DNA sequence: GTCTATATCGGGATAGAC
DNA sequence: GTCTATCCCGATATAGAC
């Protein structure tokens, strides 16, 4: 671990790695200390206890993902471009931080409160993103659909395969290399899939 | 907990509830014992240790999901009907057993081995399902697409919202009641979304 | 601030009575 | 088979020297 950083930063970096992979219950303070190249006691000196260290990591991680997402979906682009960019960003990001999403989902499942506060603290308003999507669906594609469904669809198509990667691999005996190819393909396949789906609504509005 | 059952079954039922919600690390033998209305020691008497109890629950749960999925996708129906039925079944099932999927994904993420064996033990061959989907894509829609992507898309659109439910709810401040409506809507929206997407490929084969 | 040593506790597992 | 009591380890947390 990088010696130039101050201890706080070294601990946080180690904590990120361990918590992301093992979650709160699975993580060991000892492992974090080892990874940070220092003693357990120091973790308590800098961050009172395991819980508050976890909270720091969680808030930081979640805020980062949320703000990036917000940034993309509130920018000035066509909806389809945004989807394209989101999937690309996300699949690249995830290949380096493979456990964050599952980490977030699990952490949330344990204590569903907060989280909205984390977002608001960053001056992000989730509803704005939805309204922006609604507006673009209407103006760019002439569709009057609940944007939440579309948003969830985008996430599902992007996020699920990443989270379920071990399941998919084990089930169909797919090598790591073929899995990389698979995710590379999805960068093109998913946007097309979504675009097709939305264009289908345009053709036959009775489906809405 | 039901008194008519034998102790083994009572333990298993309690173990299911607790493991599904909290995972291996989060679960407490004490909690399982309490829920089963008996003493911790009895859990060890019937199931040697925590690990093997967990394994029983996991294998059983996973096998159940897998066989149902296999049953649907290998049956004699159009692909679109299967998708329709799968989503309906799944969203109903999940509303009663809300944590199973996350449970499976997490368990797998911790130990990616086995699992294929569980499937094969049931005489299920995952690849058969894919080949069946490939065949139906070709014959019913004239599409020559990698069935794995389609399969993963179906799962993503169905499974993700369930797993991410707390996240969605907290982020957009959605009440439990509105969430029920949301999932009810998805039973129609998702099949249509997929159908549109696939029909889009028919129109413009260059997208494949 | 950083270390070693240790207190404390929760929880899985076992012994042994009934 | 089922219980109580207890063991024992792993892990968080703290005391205290340097």
């Amino acid at each position: 671990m990088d010696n130039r950083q101050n201890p706080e930063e070294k601990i946080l970096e180690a904590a990120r790695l361990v918590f992301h992979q093992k979650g709160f219950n699975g993580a060991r303070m000892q492992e974090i200390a080892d990874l940070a190249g220092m003693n357990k006691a120091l973790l308590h000196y800098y961050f009172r206890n395991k819980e508050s260290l976890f909270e720091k990591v969680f808030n930081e991680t979640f805020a980062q993902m949320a703000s990036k997402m917000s940034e993309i979906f509130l920018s000035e682009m066509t909806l389809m471009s945004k989807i394209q960019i989101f999937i690309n960003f996300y699949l690249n990001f995830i290949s380096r931080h493979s456990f964050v999403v599952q980490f977030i989902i699990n952490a949330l499942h344990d204590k569903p409160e907060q989280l909205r506060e984390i977002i608001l603290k960053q001056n992000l308003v989730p509803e704005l993103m939805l309204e922006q999507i609604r507006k673009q669906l209407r103006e760019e594609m002439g569709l009057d659909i609940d944007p939440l469904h579309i948003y969830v669809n985008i996430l599902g198509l992007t996020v699920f395969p990443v989270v379920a990667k071990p399941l998919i691999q084990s089930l169909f005996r797919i090598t790591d290399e073929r899995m990389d190819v698979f995710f590379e393909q999805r960068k093109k396949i998913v946007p097309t899939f979504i675009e097709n789906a939305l264009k289908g609504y345009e053709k036959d509005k009775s489906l809405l």
Side-chain angles (χ1 to χ4, degrees), chain A residues 7-188:
Chain A
E8 254 131 325
E9 201 35 61
K10 279 202 286 194
I11 293 172
L12 272 175
E13 194 171 326
R16 257 174 242 134
L17 284 169
V18 177
F19 280 134
H20 284 176
Q21 296 207 30
K22 318 211 166 168
F24 182 79
N25 283 321
R28 296 288 160 257
M29 294 296 267
Q30 185 61 58
E31 191 180 351
I32 295 175
D34 291 348
L35 206 62
M38 64 184 64
N39 193 282
K40 261 196 307 180
L42 266 204
L43 307 198
H44 288 92
Y45 177 78
Y46 283 104
F47 305 84
R48 206 174 68 262
N49 56 26
K50 188 182 181 184
E51 189 133 350
S52 74
L53 178 56
F54 179 82
E55 215 176 287
K56 259 251 164 40
V57 170
F58 176 80
N59 290 5
E60 177 204 82
T61 304
F62 183 73
Q64 196 186 336
M65 299 284 304
S67 86
K68 185 66 188 179
M69 214 143 80
S70 221
E71 180 196 321
I72 292 174
F73 280 100
L74 289 179
S75 68
E76 289 288 333
M77 277 186 282
T78 62
L79 183 57
M80 284 313 305
S81 307
K82 290 177 182 181
I83 293 173
Q84 179 81 255
I85 285 179
F86 170 74
I87 292 169
N88 262 279
F89 163 77
Y90 185 81
L91 290 181
N92 284 333
F93 175 83
I94 227 57
S95 67
R96 281 189 303 275
H97 307 82
S98 30
F99 303 113
V100 276
V101 193
Q102 197 165 352
F103 166 73
I104 290 175
I105 291 176
N106 281 329
L108 216 65
H109 156 272
D110 295 340
K111 26 181 173 169
E113 333 80 40
Q114 39 173 278
L115 168 87
R116 196 184 156 84
E117 283 94 89
I118 305 173
I119 308 259
L120 296 180
K121 226 172 262 166
Q122 295 199 300
N123 295 322
L124 301 175
V125 185
E127 285 84 356
L128 275 187
M129 211 169 52
L130 283 193
E131 280 318 306
Q132 178 64 14
I133 292 175
R134 186 199 296 282
K135 184 165 161 249
Q136 291 191 280
L137 281 167
R138 192 177 333 108
E139 294 178 359
E140 292 169 18
M141 329 198 68
L143 297 178
D144 199 14
I145 321 184
D146 180 350
L148 183 56
H149 280 292
I150 303 304
Y151 183 63
V152 165
N153 288 356
I154 295 170
L155 284 181
L157 289 168
T158 314
V159 172
F160 173 78
V162 175
V163 173
K165 186 180 170 188
L167 191 143
I168 297 170
Q169 268 194 284
S170 148
L171 218 50
F172 300 110
R173 320 189 93 164
I174 302 182
T175 61
D176 289 350
E177 296 74 39
R178 240 202 90 201
M179 221 46 202
D180 289 344
V181 176
F182 180 75
F183 281 113
E184 212 45 50
Q185 291 171 333
R186 288 191 76 76
K187 290 182 187 171
K188 298 196 71 169

Side-chain angles (χ1 to χ4, degrees), chain A residues 186-198:
Chain A
R186 288 191 76 76
K187 290 182 187 171
K188 298 196 71 169
I189 285 180
V190 173
T192 310
F193 193 84
I194 295 173
E195 189 168 17
N196 280 352
L198 293 177

